[in-house]
């Protein structure tokens, strides 16, 4: 069973930066795609960005400020967030499509990490 563990959230002032991490735990796996989502209080969960082997896309609200990268050796994906705004405040979730010998390609979710941006 693959688990995604997130870290890196916290409180930051507007204009600051944070980097979220999402690490997959399994002896042998391949991460196919990585997506980061966020959910603010009273709002639906929304896609922040998506990284595949050949492309990446971002919500208009974060383009030019956020970037997704991954380190295959560390089985970790990152969401670098710069120029943060109060409206970026939300719980951030990573989602990954991961291939393992036991389960094939399956979608997994992280537990979520709180990001709070103060004005």
């Amino acid at each position: 069973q693959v688990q995604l563990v997130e870290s890196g959230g916290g409180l930051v002032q507007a204009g600051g930066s944070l980097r979220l991490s999402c690490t997959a735990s399994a002896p042998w796996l391949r991460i196919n795609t990585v997506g980061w989502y966020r959910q603010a209080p009273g709002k639906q969960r929304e896609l922040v960005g998506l990284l595949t082997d050949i492309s990446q896309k971002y919500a208009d609200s974060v383009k030019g400020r956020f970037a997704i990268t991954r380190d295959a050796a560390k089985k970790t994906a990152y969401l670098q967030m710069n120029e943060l705004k109060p409206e970026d405040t939300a719980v951030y979730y990573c989602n990954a499509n991961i291939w393992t010998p036991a389960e094939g390609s399956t979608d997994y979710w992280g537990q979520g990490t709180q990001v709070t941006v103060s004005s």
Side-chain angles (χ1 to χ4, degrees):
Q1 180 77 19
V2 176
Q3 287 189 326
L4 295 182
V5 179
E6 298 181 41
S7 62
L11 174 64
V12 64
Q13 288 188 331
S17 297
L18 281 176
R19 188 177 77 161
L20 306 183
S21 300
C22 175
T23 301
S25 62
W28 172 252
L29 58 84
R30 182 183 186 280
I31 300 175
N32 295 319
T33 62
V34 178
W36 285 91
Y37 293 75
R38 66 186 181 186
Q39 187 166 18
K43 295 187 177 181
Q44 290 188 333
R45 189 173 297 189
E46 63 174 354
L47 177 66
V48 173
L50 182 67
L51 176 67
T52 71
D53 286 341
I54 59 173
S55 68
Q56 51 185 302
K57 67 176 182 180
Y58 298 92
D60 288 343
S61 59
V62 306
K63 277 181 184 176
R65 300 189 297 122
F66 290 13
I68 300 174
T69 59
R70 63 185 177 186
D71 185 328
K74 295 182 178 179
K75 304 174 186 178
T76 299
Y78 304 95
L79 177 65
Q80 178 66 44
M81 305 184 293
N82 300 323
E83 300 175 32
L84 283 160
K85 305 175 180 180
E87 51 263 43
D88 294 320
T89 295
V91 177
Y92 284 72
Y93 299 89
C94 68
N95 170 268
N97 183 271
I98 295 175
W99 181 90
T100 63
E103 300 184 17
S105 293
T106 307
D107 284 340
Y108 298 92
W109 286 91
Q111 81 280 12
T113 186
Q114 177 70 46
V115 171
T116 302
V117 184
S118 63
S119 58

